[in-house]
Amino acid sequence: MIARPDGMRRRLQERLVLAQAWAGLVLADLALRVLPPRWVLPRAAGRAGRRRPRGGPSVRRIVALVEAAERRVPVPVTCLTRALVLGWILRRRGI
């Protein structure tokens, strides 16, 4: 297996976060439109991740990537959808 340079690995991790943010924003918007909030919000809150934070994008960079995804989704983004997606991404990373 060929080792990837750190810069390439970092770009790949950021693209993954960007893709997760884009899909999460669309799905969160859909869920909030179709399902009652009393069902969506407790499930979105979830539990904190068990993973230990590893070298990936910083929290500040993740926020910037979610904001970048917001500009490219075909649905209107509210602060609630942004918070749900950001919380989900950070929990998945153990933060």
Side-chain angles (χ1 to χ4, degrees):
M1 183 183 293
I2 300 173
R4 292 186 178 151
D6 287 340
M8 187 179 215
R9 183 176 296 132
R10 186 172 39 253
R11 285 191 302 270
L12 184 62
Q13 289 173 344
E14 287 184 357
R15 286 185 182 185
L16 177 63
V17 170
L18 189 62
Q20 289 173 340
W22 191 91
L25 288 166
V26 171
L27 292 174
D29 179 72
L30 179 65
L32 289 169
R33 289 176 189 268
V34 174
L35 302 170
R38 70 177 184 273
W39 192 89
V40 175
L41 297 178
R43 284 159 181 80
R47 288 187 257 163
R50 292 184 178 175
R51 296 181 188 176
R52 295 171 71 193
R54 289 192 292 219
S58 67
V59 173
R60 192 175 298 222
R61 184 66 180 145
I62 291 171
V63 170
L65 291 167
V66 170
E67 289 172 351
E70 284 179 36
R71 294 188 292 271
R72 291 169 177 80
V73 293
V75 295
V77 177
T78 63
C79 58
L80 178 58
T81 55
R82 180 184 314 120
L84 291 174
V85 170
L86 191 54
W88 173 68
I89 291 173
L90 293 175
R91 270 193 313 280
R92 284 183 48 90
R93 298 188 174 303
I95 299 173

